[in-house]
Amino acid sequence: MIRSRFSINTRYVVGMVASFTSKKDQATFIRAAKKIIHFRQDTTFILVGDGETMDTCQSLIDESEKNLIRFLGKLYDIESVINLFDIGILATFTEWISNSIMEYMALAKPVVATDCDGNSELMVDGETGYLIKPGDPEDLSNKVLSLLDDEPLRRTMGSLGKQRLITYFSLDAMVSAYLTIYNRYALI
């Protein structure tokens, strides 16, 4: 239903959910997508969100690329859109604990994200996805291609990401950690 709603006809979908601000790096996502679609036409690249840098990012797309690099704007049914993704991306210049990455992981999607701040706290590079160099479309495109070409790896990374989220970042895990700290210091 979502595929038809957005006229997505490709085998794979790679997406990024993020506001279009100076702190996010949709331009690197777009440059990586352009590299990939020059030699394979089986993937749609989706950007979800809106904001001040959206027009600039849209200007990076040639008319011939608009069918495979899509701007969906701000959406409220994010979970159903992320369910379409084969890979979740977060290219950014700075990030604390990313809601987007946690949403990707909760839905068992492998993640490719910039190696900065909280991203490396949420993810385990090479296990739940890949951490990439900031502003490097070559690194991003290489990591996306390796995942597109390896379905068992995508499934394994997605599953391990979901398990990591449940184990370390769920409400139960956080309450348990707080209680442990409280009990340790309450006895002093």
Side-chain angles (χ1 to χ4, degrees), residues 15-16 34 38-39 70 73 75 89 100 114 121 165 174:
M16 178 168 162
K34 289 167 76 90
H38 280 314
F39 57 90
R70 311 280 295 282
L75 299 174
I89 307 293
S100 293
T114 306
E121 195 173 323
L165 187 68
M174 290 190 296

Side-chain angles (χ1 to χ4, degrees), residues 120-132:
S120 59
E121 195 173 323
L122 283 171
M123 298 174 55
V124 177
D125 187 36
E127 184 179 305
T128 64
Y130 293 114
L131 293 167
I132 59 161

Side-chain angles (χ1 to χ4, degrees), residues 5 10 15 31-32 57 62-63 69 72 78 80 98 147 174 177:
R5 176 175 156 199
T10 57
R31 289 182 179 101
C57 289
D62 297 331
E63 190 63 38
I69 302 174
L72 302 187
I78 295 299
S80 59
S98 166
L147 286 168
M174 290 190 296

Side-chain angles (χ1 to χ4, degrees), residues 46-138:
I46 293 176
L47 295 110
V48 179
D50 64 4
E52 64 205 42
T53 63
M54 189 169 182
D55 290 341
T56 302
C57 289
Q58 286 177 322
S59 72
L60 299 173
I61 309 296
D62 297 331
E63 190 63 38
S64 64
E65 299 165 330
K66 286 185 178 182
N67 194 42
L68 294 178
I69 302 174
R70 311 280 295 282
F71 293 80
L72 302 187
K74 187 173 185 173
L75 299 174
Y76 295 97
D77 54 343
I78 295 299
E79 184 177 322
S80 59
V81 175
I82 292 173
N83 267 320
L84 285 180
F85 294 0
D86 293 283
I87 304 165
I89 307 293
L90 185 63
T92 185
F93 298 110
T94 183
E95 193 70 37
W96 296 111
I97 297 295
S98 166
N99 287 334
S100 293
I101 290 176
M102 289 191 297
E103 289 168 350
Y104 303 154
M105 291 169 77
L107 295 170
K109 305 301 176 181
V111 180
V112 181
T114 306
D115 189 2
C116 67
D117 306 321
N119 293 352
S120 59
E121 195 173 323
L122 283 171
M123 298 174 55
V124 177
D125 187 36
E127 184 179 305
T128 64
Y130 293 114
L131 293 167
I132 59 161
K133 294 175 252 171
D136 189 341
E138 189 72 31

Side-chain angles (χ1 to χ4, degrees), residues 173-188:
M174 290 190 296
V175 167
S176 177
Y178 282 123
L179 285 173
T180 300
I181 293 168
Y182 175 79
N183 288 330
R184 182 181 312 143
Y185 292 104
L187 299 175
I188 294 177

Side-chain angles (χ1 to χ4, degrees), residues 25-42:
D25 191 12
Q26 284 92 347
T28 293
F29 175 87
I30 292 165
R31 289 182 179 101
K34 289 167 76 90
K35 287 178 175 292
I36 293 168
I37 66 174
H38 280 314
F39 57 90
R40 67 186 292 167
Q41 301 285 305
D42 62 349

